[in-house]
Amino acid sequence: MTTVTETPATGTGTETGTGTAEATGLLMGAVRAGRTAEVVSLLDGMTDAERRACFPGLKAVRQELRAARWSAESRLAHPALHAAGAACQTGAAAVASWLAAVDMRWSQASPAVLLHVLGDRDPGWLADVVHRLARRPAGSNVSYELMAGLVRLSGCPVPTTEAYVQGWLDHVGGAWQRGGTVCDRLRRDPHVSELVAALFRTEGVGARLGWLSGDGPDGWTGALARLTSGGTLDRRTMVDACVARLLRGGTPAELRVFLRLLHDLALTREEERLRTADWTALASDAVPAVASHAQSVLGALALAGELAPRRLAEVTDAVLFRSERKLVRAQLVLLGKVLTRDPAAADALLPAAAQAFGHEDSDVQERALKLVERHLRKVTDEVVREELAGAAEQLVPALRARAVRTLGATPPDSRAFAHEEVLPAVPERARLAPAPDSALEVAEEISALLASGGDVSAFERALDGLVRHAHRDREALLEALEPVVARRWWAERELRPGHPSDQFFARHPELFDGSRALDLLLATLHGKVSTDTLHRMVQDGVPDSGCVHNSLARPFEARMWEVAHRLRTDPPPFLLATPTWGTGLLEPGDLVDRLDAYRRAGTRVAPVDFGQALLRVRRDDRTAAVTSARRAAALGTEQGDRLARLLTGEWTTPSATRRPTATRILMELEEVPELRAEEFPAALRLLGRPASPFSDRWYCGHWRGEIRQHWFAVLPERPELVAARLVRDVSEAAVDDQRGAAAAVLPHLADADGEAGEAVHLCLAYGLGARHAEDRLAAVDALLVLAAR
């Protein structure tokens, strides 16, 4: 790695000290107006001293624009400000920080402009800047063209950091519009050897490389193979690096790319033989696709007589311990071929094959037994025969009885095979972790949820943290959320001409997943949703979709809109309905404590949040419920009295009837009186409304599987009310062969805390008859969990 030091910039101008105020004024005016060309012209005519004198004014402009980062004025000025601030500083660290600043990340000056204003600096200083930029995280949005230009101007060694390598990868792969192939562009690159070597060391680059490669003739892997065969890249280095990358492991998607490159390199038999130890390690521990390739290489070597039987036995011992039946079967087939060609290898290979006698799949056990029986006569060592007979004790009873006749195994003791049904343990409830202590942690958790989703626990924890920190220190929260907000679509006003975020949320109030709900809350915190829109949605609610999911979706949406309204008008110290457990269940004692804290602080109770808390409160522990009811009544508040009545009352079980249609059987539910009570907000009263397959519309926008987990958390102790409205969705797995329909619902049914009834049983039946294996597996798992309960 190149060592870089902080060095001052040197310029060519002479400090005159005259006209500084006038030059500063002209520069500030051009920056505010966004006239980048004029800014560059002014900077070219300044001395170093005049540039340094301008920097305090540029800092002031930057601070001013931060207050309205997404305004038209701010976006207009930022490119010019970006260039001017870089040109008017002398420290390499300060310039690198300015160039990669978060607040100017999405409105930067062009690389050509930045290279122009920095081009007269000392080469050593430029090298320092580029290496500092290259050490930034890959998500910092530092322009590759800028870094590459600085490398060219300074003549320094090329950086091989994650940010630089990923930028180079995208630059070369995305340059199709400039003509030529990937191979041509790589061949012209003076740093191709260093950067290709860095590809194998950079984490996460495989998935990006795979996306850029595709399967066409102009893919990266084919280009690298052609450059290797042509001598541009050293062949031994490429092969060693590729094999080492496969040995290091990773995700299947990432390793698949390097495996494709290994295929394209077309190793010779000698190159494969020299790496026998590597293939053995890959066959033992690599992901299935890589292990399969290593297994095929070793098999070819074995059949060609270039792999000793002892080494093949070692490989077999490792492969037969793997869970992938395809690999195990392939290894047994290979042993059979080798034993046919080389009978003398039986003493070494058959004990290895007998390792499969203990495999969990009886089909694999039978294959191994057939192999041993077929080649047993080739064994010359009596000790090996005894070893095979002893290994047969691992076989299932039917096969062991057969091994008594063929291998001379010990007859099984019938008492040792008493059958016992074993069900999985009942899943333990996972307690929700406390809300994050710092605003930075809240921002990190929300960023993770927006990027890859999460379960109810993660969502509710982040939601509670967002509310708590908005109440505690709104400015600190907004500052922590800056990197998250910078990537959201609603922060870029110009991305949707004529449809600002307020209009979008007003016209599309449905929240089809957790990400849309978080976007609503973040946009509200940043002033992108008007108070009028929030007030109207709280008062009128989301329009009725008329679909069967309407009564499940509206409670979640109503609570999110209510939270957004409170964030704008009166942030509460915390939420009442945040669950105690990951399934959405809320302990009654926790709710009493929260109501008491609200009472003492004089906090106004949000109706939907409190109604949701009542629906989530745990009632199956009657002792805890009665104790909490007394405490709730002692609060002397309306909410305490309602909670006390709920905890001491009884739920009614609605009548559920199976209704056949032309292609499937669905469920019809009667009204649930206690959920239709006027004291519940309108959105929650929908849960008590009757449900019928003949009156509810089935086609709607609620097709995302991620939102369903939030529906189960609305009524965690009453899964029947949710399952009855989702029977049609699950039935599509069996009737319409739809993939994932059962897998998205049945795990939540199995985890639910309430009693399973007709609707849950019907969902399981459809899951067991599903077309796709993952749906059937989800149904079997759910069935076992429910049986264990």
Side-chain angles (χ1 to χ4, degrees):
M1 177 180 291
T2 302
T3 302
V4 293
T5 57
E6 178 73 18
T7 55
T10 60
T12 58
T14 304
E15 298 185 20
T16 64
T18 61
T20 301
E22 181 181 358
T24 301
L26 290 173
L27 184 63
M28 295 303 109
V31 166
R32 289 181 181 278
R35 298 192 293 269
T36 305
E38 183 179 340
V39 167
V40 172
S41 178
L42 290 169
L43 290 170
D44 286 346
M46 290 183 183
T47 64
D48 284 351
E50 287 173 334
R51 288 187 181 187
R52 288 194 296 270
C54 291
F55 187 66
L58 295 172
K59 286 179 63 178
V61 173
R62 178 183 179 184
Q63 188 65 33
E64 177 186 332
L65 294 179
R66 276 181 173 174
R69 180 177 303 174
W70 306 109
S71 66
E73 295 79 6
S74 178
R75 290 174 56 78
L76 178 67
H78 264 130
L81 177 63
H82 193 225
C88 293
Q89 297 181 81
T90 56
V95 171
S97 296
W98 182 279
L99 290 171
V102 172
D103 54 325
M104 289 185 284
R105 184 172 294 174
W106 306 107
S107 299
Q108 298 182 355
S110 70
V113 168
L114 293 173
L115 291 172
H116 178 84
V117 299
L118 297 175
D120 61 346
R121 306 295 181 98
D122 179 76
W125 184 89
L126 293 173
D128 196 352
V129 171
V130 70
H131 279 85
R132 290 177 185 275
L133 290 174
R135 288 196 295 268
R136 295 266 172 170
S140 296
N141 202 35
V142 177
S143 166
Y144 167 77
E145 288 80 2
L146 172 62
M147 292 189 289
L150 292 173
V151 168
R152 185 177 62 255
L153 290 174
S154 66
C156 68
V158 63
T160 55
T161 63
E162 180 182 357
Y164 196 93
V165 171
Q166 288 194 7
W168 172 74
L169 196 67
D170 292 340
H171 176 75
V172 174
W176 55 269
Q177 66 273 24
R178 294 194 292 272
T181 64
V182 169
C183 188
D184 294 335
R185 293 191 288 274
L186 288 173
R187 189 178 287 110
R188 293 193 298 266
D189 193 317
H191 305 293
V192 63
S193 296
E194 301 97 307
L195 291 172
V196 167
L199 285 178
F200 298 98
R201 302 190 301 268
T202 304
E203 291 298 330
V205 79
R208 186 184 296 257
L209 188 62
W211 177 75
L212 290 170
S213 291
D215 297 321
D218 193 29
W220 268 80
T221 56
L224 293 175
R226 287 194 293 275
L227 291 177
T228 302
S229 63
T232 303
L233 299 173
D234 180 70
R235 180 173 181 82
R236 180 168 183 175
T237 301
M238 286 292 293
V239 174
D240 286 344
C242 195
V243 173
R245 182 64 190 85
L246 294 174
L247 285 168
R248 197 163 78 239
T251 64
E254 186 168 7
L255 295 180
R256 198 176 297 120
V257 177
F258 295 105
L259 182 60
R260 188 190 310 162
L261 175 58
L262 196 64
H263 281 296
D264 290 343
L265 289 172
L267 271 62
T268 64
R269 179 57 56 81
E270 178 64 17
E271 289 173 327
E272 291 176 340
R273 187 182 61 78
L274 290 174
R275 294 171 175 81
T276 300
D278 295 331
W279 307 129
T280 302
L282 290 172
S284 304
D285 301 317
V287 299
V290 177
S292 178
H293 173 75
Q295 185 184 46
S296 66
V297 172
L298 291 170
L301 291 173
L303 293 173
E306 298 185 28
L307 189 68
R310 290 293 178 187
R311 176 58 67 89
L312 180 58
E314 293 174 7
V315 175
T316 301
D317 286 342
V319 172
L320 295 185
F321 270 104
R322 296 187 64 115
S323 60
E324 299 88 0
R325 287 176 294 180
K326 181 179 179 181
L327 292 175
V328 173
R329 290 195 296 264
Q331 191 68 21
L332 293 174
V333 170
L334 172 63
L335 293 180
K337 291 179 179 179
V338 173
L339 287 168
T340 301
R341 297 169 64 93
D342 183 12
D347 287 349
L349 298 183
L350 286 185
Q355 296 291 329
F357 289 174
H359 198 276
E360 61 183 9
D361 189 340
S362 60
D363 178 64
V364 171
Q365 291 186 15
E366 185 175 12
R367 286 172 180 265
L369 180 58
K370 285 181 178 179
L371 175 68
V372 172
E373 290 171 340
R374 187 181 310 121
H375 298 282
L376 182 64
R377 58 184 176 78
K378 301 174 184 176
V379 174
T380 59
D381 190 337
E382 195 61 34
V383 174
V384 172
R385 290 179 177 272
E386 294 176 0
E387 183 180 345
L388 295 173
E393 296 180 3
Q394 305 173 77
L395 294 166
V396 295
L399 295 178
R400 183 172 174 182
R402 177 172 136 192
V404 171
R405 301 190 306 272
T406 58
L407 304 183
T410 304
D413 183 354
S414 59
R415 293 174 298 175
F417 295 101
H419 183 66
E420 181 183 358
E421 291 286 356
V422 179
L423 290 171
V426 177
E428 295 184 3
R429 295 190 185 104
R431 183 175 285 272
L432 205 70
D437 290 331
S438 69
L440 186 59
E441 289 180 80
V442 173
E444 290 174 349
E445 295 199 7
I446 289 177
S447 179
L449 286 168
L450 291 171
S452 56
D455 58 15
V456 170
S457 297
F459 179 86
E460 290 285 350
R461 183 171 184 265
L463 176 65
D464 191 35
L466 188 73
V467 170
R468 288 175 183 267
H469 286 280
H471 174 81
R472 188 181 307 166
D473 189 343
R474 188 187 191 92
E475 291 304 317
L477 177 63
L478 291 175
E479 183 177 354
L481 288 170
E482 282 184 358
V484 181
V485 170
R487 298 189 293 269
R488 306 314 297 168
W489 62 265
W490 46 264
E492 298 279 357
R493 194 170 82 175
E494 284 77 9
L495 289 181
R496 293 177 177 269
H499 294 279
S501 52
D502 179 60
Q503 293 183 31
F504 176 83
F505 285 113
R507 294 175 180 174
H508 307 281
E510 301 88 353
L511 305 177
F512 292 120
D513 53 32
S515 295
R516 178 70 68 83
L518 291 174
D519 271 326
L520 170 64
L521 300 177
L522 294 178
T524 299
L525 278 172
H526 288 79
K528 294 294 183 177
V529 184
S530 70
T531 305
D532 288 343
T533 296
L534 296 170
H535 180 75
R536 185 172 65 256
M537 292 310 305
V538 169
Q539 292 297 314
D540 301 339
V542 178
D544 191 333
S545 64
C547 69
V548 70
H549 308 109
N550 182 71
S551 56
L552 299 174
R554 296 301 167 255
F556 175 79
E557 293 166 344
R559 182 168 174 242
M560 293 302 104
W561 277 101
E562 182 184 74
V563 171
H565 185 254
R566 288 295 294 270
L567 287 175
R568 171 64 55 78
T569 59
D570 181 21
F574 51 83
L575 296 173
L576 293 174
T578 301
T580 306
W581 305 100
T583 58
L585 205 61
L586 173 58
E587 289 295 332
D590 291 348
L591 181 53
V592 174
D593 291 340
R594 293 172 190 174
L595 288 174
D596 188 30
Y598 264 46
R599 178 186 60 83
R600 287 184 279 105
T603 303
R604 181 168 56 89
V605 173
V608 180
D609 186 43
F610 177 60
Q612 174 64 89
L614 292 179
L615 297 178
R616 283 178 170 172
V617 73
R618 182 183 177 193
R619 304 171 73 246
D620 62 349
D621 185 341
R622 298 312 301 164
T623 301
V626 171
T627 302
S628 298
R630 294 195 191 101
R631 290 182 56 210
L635 294 177
T637 63
E638 177 188 349
Q639 290 77 23
D641 293 340
R642 286 181 60 189
L643 176 59
R645 291 196 300 272
L646 176 79
L647 292 173
T648 55
E650 295 292 335
W651 286 118
T652 60
T653 302
S655 175
T657 307
R658 296 188 180 187
R659 297 296 187 192
T661 66
T663 57
R664 67 198 82 209
I665 297 174
L666 300 174
M667 296 298 301
E668 186 174 69
L669 278 180
E670 290 185 351
E671 183 178 87
V672 185
E674 64 267 24
L675 294 181
R676 299 292 286 169
E678 288 296 325
E679 57 188 6
F680 278 112
L684 301 186
R685 292 201 300 271
L686 294 173
L687 293 166
R689 194 171 65 177
S692 171
F694 305 110
S695 59
D696 293 321
R697 183 164 57 86
W698 287 98
Y699 300 100
C700 61
H702 300 105
W703 50 268
R704 294 178 178 87
E706 188 266 341
I707 192 61
R708 294 190 177 103
Q709 61 180 332
H710 296 285
W711 295 348
F712 282 98
V714 170
L715 289 166
E717 276 194 323
R718 309 195 75 178
E720 276 290 290
L721 299 183
V722 183
R725 294 173 167 88
L726 294 179
V727 167
R728 172 68 178 249
D729 297 342
V730 183
S731 72
E732 292 177 348
V735 178
D736 302 322
D737 294 343
Q738 189 176 102
R739 185 186 298 273
V745 172
L746 296 181
H748 302 297
L749 283 176
D751 291 339
D753 296 284
E755 183 178 353
E758 286 286 320
V760 172
H761 297 160
L762 187 55
C763 285
L764 281 173
Y766 279 125
L768 292 169
R771 164 68 176 81
H772 297 284
E774 59 266 33
D775 289 304
R776 296 195 300 274
L777 181 61
V780 171
D781 289 343
L783 183 63
L784 292 174
V785 170
L786 289 173
R789 288 184 184 276

